Amino acid sequence: MNSEKNPERSSERTPEKSSESSSEKNSEKYCEKSSDNSSVKGSERYSDKNAEKIASSFRDPAGFVFHNQGTIYRQINNAGKDCYDLLLSSGLYDVLKKSGLLISHEEASVDALDSALAYKIIRPEPVPFISYPWEWSFSQLKDAALATLQVQKIAIKHGMSLKDCSAFNIQFIASKPVFIDTLSFEPYQEGMPWVAYRQFCQHFLAPLALMSKCDIRLQQLWRANIDGIPLDMASRLLPLRTWLNFSLLTHLHLHAGSQSYFADKAPASSSSPATSKVSRNALLGIIDSLESGIRSQNYYPRGTEWGDYYANTNYTDASAEHKKTLVEEYFNKIGSQHLVWDLGANTGVFSQIAARHSDVVVAFDIDPAAVEKNYLQSRDQQASNILPLLLDITNPSPPIGWENAERMSLLQRGPADTVMALALIHHLAISNNLPLSHIASFFGKICRYLIIEFVLKSDSQVQKLLASRPDIFPDYCEAGFELAFTKFFDLVGSEKILESQRRLYIFQNKGTGLWRRSRRP
Amino acid sequence: MRTVFSKIYVVTFLLLVSVVPSVQAYLDPGTGSFILQTLIAGFFGAVFVLKSYWASIKSWFAGSAGSSENSAENAADNAASKESSGIDNADNQILPENSEAQVSGAAIKPNSDAKSDEH
């Protein structure tokens, strides 16, 4: 039984800041040719200012998520009335809210999107930036799994149970996993198997086991499997020694076998869910075992290309300090920002500077070890506003799911107020053969301010990239760089980094007028 | 009842030793997930109950039973932290599977309640 309903992108901005973001305005801003319909797809869905249902919110008859003027609401249908009321009256909502495990909400007196079905409208606490499991580090997925199980254990104690266990129901707020689907709870029926068991194993246990026991990069199987990793595939890929791990044996290998064995068979009467019982203690025991299984999965970030980046750079102490000073100065110059994307953030050294000048910093990096280190670091800080995520900027997260609209692409979740791209451009231009004009155009779509480091060909790191290939990049020079970027941006300032072959630039998007209009509708 | 469970575990054993084929079923594979839970319920129920009492005994000896009454809520505060719940690797315990606890779960208190019995 798949009861997965709709998780939600609960919201992208606070109401007062709602106009700063939301995919709805993507097309209006930085895309230089916003009228040519070639820009961000999200603009089609959110082209008007009226209330509109979120594209991924269609599975659950109990309710759905919609947005209105940039604020996210959840409509609770009459079909979800009893569950919602029980969530509140049982005390479960208060306990989960107090513990930070469940997103808080307030009931809103706004018009329902579908009044014929509506019971209530709630306005959930905003989620600063929506992220997906294929973008999470190992420990982010592990923490999300443990949070989900904790929610379920507390729910059972209050006479309720999760009816789905989608990883999309978890979002990270201040580096903590938070369950965001208020309508995922149903009354617990003693004796019934857990309807979300299969989904939990597919969404959490299977990918974590594959990442831990096979290869950390197998996380990307998520992109092709929106409902989690099929258990039969996970079972085949995992090494034989995992059959000796009792949790994995039971919840993955045996589970996969059971799915296969019973797939085309009507359940025998002796094993029919209708006649067999899973007692409360048995259910708690299964959850306990799942928790142990999750905890036994580990990943130690080492041995990857970028994990020890800062120990292997060509910066001197003076140049590293100067670069930090310049970044700080540039942020002082542009003032407080809401959303900053740090592309190629590595372990977040410069993200921390940005974090002092912004509400949220999303620190993207291509390396799982670097993202893991950054997350562990952010998690240890109280209420960190840095969200580390895994991303290959040359192949960013695509929109996937039904009508390519259930899960948003990276661009649909932008634009950012400010993008930092430090020590990145040579990897795009030289390693990936991207013309500077393409790179500039891309940045023109995703940010208002751009802080970017240009690395000269004479730099030792660039020399490494050119060592084994012909230099087919005649335009790759400061003049070529400035020419390409000033087509989309106004140059605000630049300065050579001391004792280096690098220069730091700050640009302002030429689409500033459009930005202002969309921020203050 | 014991005969039924014996058959179930024979089927389980066969599943264990077989190579898992691809799931390309017409029916929802959730059926197998449901049935698996009913097959493993007895064992995990028994383990859970024994663990609960073992935890109670340990906490009694440790003299910290007084702080366990609201353990579920307290644990919630630490949900995201890795080392908080103290139940790591608990499923590695070898326990007899002939416990009747699985069918009488309603009469057996769960973890936190069992701990509070110590007062």
Side-chain angles (χ1 to χ4, degrees):
Chain A
M1 177 184 294
N2 177 8
S3 65
E4 187 215 344
K5 30 193 247 343
N6 175 34
E8 27 346 52
R9 13 206 226 258
S10 206
S11 73
E12 283 111 304
R13 298 289 192 275
T14 55
E16 59 274 20
K17 289 177 178 174
S18 61
S19 55
E20 296 177 8
S21 79
S22 280
S23 319
E24 69 200 78
K25 296 152 194 121
N26 285 346
S27 67
E28 300 176 55
K29 300 182 199 126
Y30 313 112
C31 320
E32 299 283 319
K33 298 171 183 173
S34 57
S35 60
D36 68 4
N37 296 325
S38 63
S39 57
V40 183
K41 297 293 183 191
S43 61
E44 294 175 17
R45 287 189 290 127
Y46 305 127
S47 57
D48 64 40
K49 300 295 181 189
N50 298 321
E52 191 172 355
K53 204 169 177 177
I54 296 293
S56 61
S57 195
F58 58 83
R59 287 190 175 84
D60 187 8
F64 58 86
V65 181
F66 66 98
H67 72 90
N68 193 349
Q69 303 289 333
T71 301
I72 298 292
Y73 298 96
R74 186 181 293 275
Q75 174 169 319
I76 296 159
N77 291 339
N78 290 318
K81 173 180 181 299
D82 292 344
C83 293
Y84 175 73
D85 288 344
L86 183 59
L87 173 70
L88 299 186
S89 64
S90 65
L92 176 59
Y93 171 75
D94 287 336
V95 170
L96 292 177
K97 177 186 163 189
K98 186 178 175 186
S99 63
L101 283 168
L102 178 66
I103 199 155
S104 63
H105 71 259
E106 55 187 30
E107 295 185 358
S109 53
V110 298
D111 291 339
L113 187 60
D114 190 341
S115 55
L117 301 175
Y119 169 55
K120 281 183 177 172
I121 306 294
I122 60 174
R123 181 171 49 240
E125 172 194 351
V127 175
F129 187 81
I130 297 295
S131 58
Y132 300 124
W134 47 90
E135 298 167 338
W136 295 344
S137 73
F138 179 87
S139 288
Q140 282 174 306
L141 185 60
K142 185 173 175 178
D143 287 354
L146 293 173
T148 301
L149 291 176
Q150 196 66 35
V151 168
Q152 170 68 349
K153 285 198 290 189
I154 297 171
I156 290 172
K157 190 177 181 187
H158 287 79
M160 300 197 81
S161 178
L162 287 175
K163 63 183 179 185
D164 65 63
C165 258
S166 166
F168 302 104
N169 282 348
I170 296 284
Q171 288 296 324
F172 286 86
I173 301 177
S175 282
K176 299 282 188 295
V178 178
F179 197 87
I180 63 167
D181 190 354
T182 313
L183 289 178
S184 273
F185 301 89
E186 64 182 4
Y188 169 59
Q189 292 179 277
E190 175 85 29
M192 284 298 293
W194 186 20
V195 294
Y197 173 66
R198 176 192 66 83
Q199 197 175 40
F200 181 86
C201 294
Q202 290 187 180
H203 281 224
F204 295 109
L205 189 58
L208 282 170
L210 288 170
M211 292 163 74
S212 172
K213 311 295 186 199
C214 295
D215 193 306
I216 192 71
R217 293 168 295 183
L218 286 176
Q219 169 187 26
Q220 294 308 312
L221 288 173
W222 256 111
R223 278 200 190 184
N225 298 278
I226 197 170
D227 194 24
I229 313 303
L231 298 184
D232 62 317
M233 182 164 70
S235 180
R236 285 178 175 206
L237 291 173
L238 285 167
L240 281 177
R241 61 187 161 88
T242 59
W243 287 65
L244 301 176
N245 178 309
F246 191 69
S247 289
L248 295 184
L249 170 67
T250 308
H251 304 300
L252 279 185
H253 297 299
L254 182 55
H255 195 170
S258 180
Q259 285 184 335
S260 171
Y261 185 82
F262 292 106
D264 277 331
K265 294 180 178 65
S269 59
S270 62
S271 56
S272 164
T275 57
S276 300
K277 300 290 186 186
V278 177
S279 71
R280 188 174 191 268
N281 275 344
L283 177 55
L284 289 170
I286 290 171
I287 293 167
D288 202 22
S289 172
L290 285 170
E291 187 170 1
S292 296
I294 294 291
R295 288 184 190 280
S296 69
Q297 307 309 312
N298 291 297
Y299 166 59
Y300 302 101
R302 59 177 174 240
T304 56
E305 187 180 3
W306 301 100
D308 298 318
Y309 173 74
Y310 289 114
N312 300 307
T313 63
N314 57 8
Y315 292 103
T316 63
D317 289 346
S319 59
E321 281 307 310
H322 188 220
K323 185 171 162 182
K324 287 179 186 174
T325 304
L326 284 177
V327 170
E328 188 92 48
E329 277 178 16
Y330 286 169
F331 271 106
N332 284 331
K333 186 177 288 186
I334 61 179
S336 180
Q337 304 289 293
H338 174 64
L339 177 63
V340 174
W341 288 358
D342 186 359
L343 304 180
N346 203 270
T347 54
V349 170
F350 293 93
S351 303
Q352 293 184 28
I353 297 174
R356 294 197 287 268
H357 298 272
S358 56
D359 297 329
V360 186
V361 179
V362 189
F364 295 105
D365 201 90
I366 193 174
D367 182 63
V371 180
E372 176 76 357
K373 285 181 179 178
N374 199 1
Y375 172 66
L376 295 177
Q377 195 172 276
S378 300
R379 194 183 66 185
D380 291 342
Q381 295 172 3
Q382 287 298 315
S384 168
N385 58 343
I386 298 174
L387 174 63
L389 292 177
L390 188 72
L391 183 81
D392 178 356
I393 199 63
T394 64
N395 182 21
S397 300
I400 65 170
W402 179 248
E403 289 192 338
N404 284 119
E406 279 189 72
R407 309 296 164 209
M408 293 181 284
S409 70
L410 173 69
L411 294 186
Q412 286 170 319
R413 285 172 280 165
D417 294 280
T418 299
V419 162
M420 289 200 298
L422 307 179
L424 177 70
I425 195 161
H426 51 306
H427 296 291
L428 301 178
I430 294 178
S431 302
N432 207 52
N433 283 29
L434 272 165
L436 288 171
S437 59
H438 286 51
I439 300 171
S441 170
F442 170 72
F443 282 117
K445 292 175 183 172
I446 62 170
C447 63
R448 179 184 192 191
Y449 290 108
L450 173 64
I451 298 173
I452 187 168
E453 180 179 6
F454 186 75
V455 187
L456 290 171
K457 271 186 189 170
S458 51
D459 184 275
S460 62
Q461 300 290 65
V462 180
Q463 285 300 308
K464 280 185 191 172
L465 298 179
L466 289 170
S468 58
R469 58 180 304 177
D471 183 352
I472 55 170
F473 311 101
D475 297 331
Y476 188 84
C477 59
E478 281 188 353
F481 170 80
E482 290 173 13
L483 183 66
F485 276 73
T486 50
K487 182 178 176 188
F488 301 95
F489 293 92
D490 293 321
L491 179 61
V492 176
S494 77
E495 189 162 334
K496 187 175 183 302
I497 299 171
L498 292 176
E499 299 179 10
S500 78
Q501 299 296 308
R502 301 168 178 226
R503 179 176 284 273
L504 199 64
Y505 291 83
I506 179 166
F507 291 104
Q508 182 170 2
N509 202 302
K510 288 182 173 175
T512 301
L514 287 172
W515 162 266
R516 283 186 177 147
R517 279 203 294 278
S518 61
R519 281 165 63 97
R520 300 283 179 263
Chain B
M1 186 59 125
R2 189 173 297 278
T3 308
V4 172
F5 275 101
S6 299
K7 288 180 179 175
I8 288 171
Y9 283 108
V10 168
V11 172
T12 304
F13 177 76
L14 291 175
L15 287 170
L16 285 174
V17 299
S18 63
V19 175
V20 178
S22 300
V23 176
Q24 295 176 331
Y26 177 74
L27 297 176
D28 179 2
T31 304
S33 301
F34 253 53
I35 293 174
L36 177 69
Q37 288 182 76
T38 65
L39 297 180
I40 63 178
F43 179 74
F44 283 108
V47 170
F48 182 75
V49 170
L50 290 172
K51 268 183 58 188
S52 299
Y53 283 113
W54 178 243
S56 299
I57 292 166
K58 279 204 301 186
S59 62
W60 187 82
F61 277 108
S64 59
S67 63
S68 63
E69 191 165 9
N70 298 313
S71 60
E73 285 83 354
N74 293 339
D77 293 334
N78 302 314
S81 78
K82 271 76 271 112
E83 296 79 28
S84 60
S85 74
I87 54 174
D88 302 57
N89 303 319
D91 58 326
N92 291 332
Q93 296 177 41
I94 306 300
L95 296 165
E97 61 184 66
N98 59 352
S99 167
E100 292 301 316
Q102 72 274 12
V103 290
S104 56
I108 298 175
K109 295 184 177 183
N111 196 0
S112 57
D113 292 339
K115 287 179 181 175
S116 65
D117 283 347
E118 294 302 313
H119 297 287

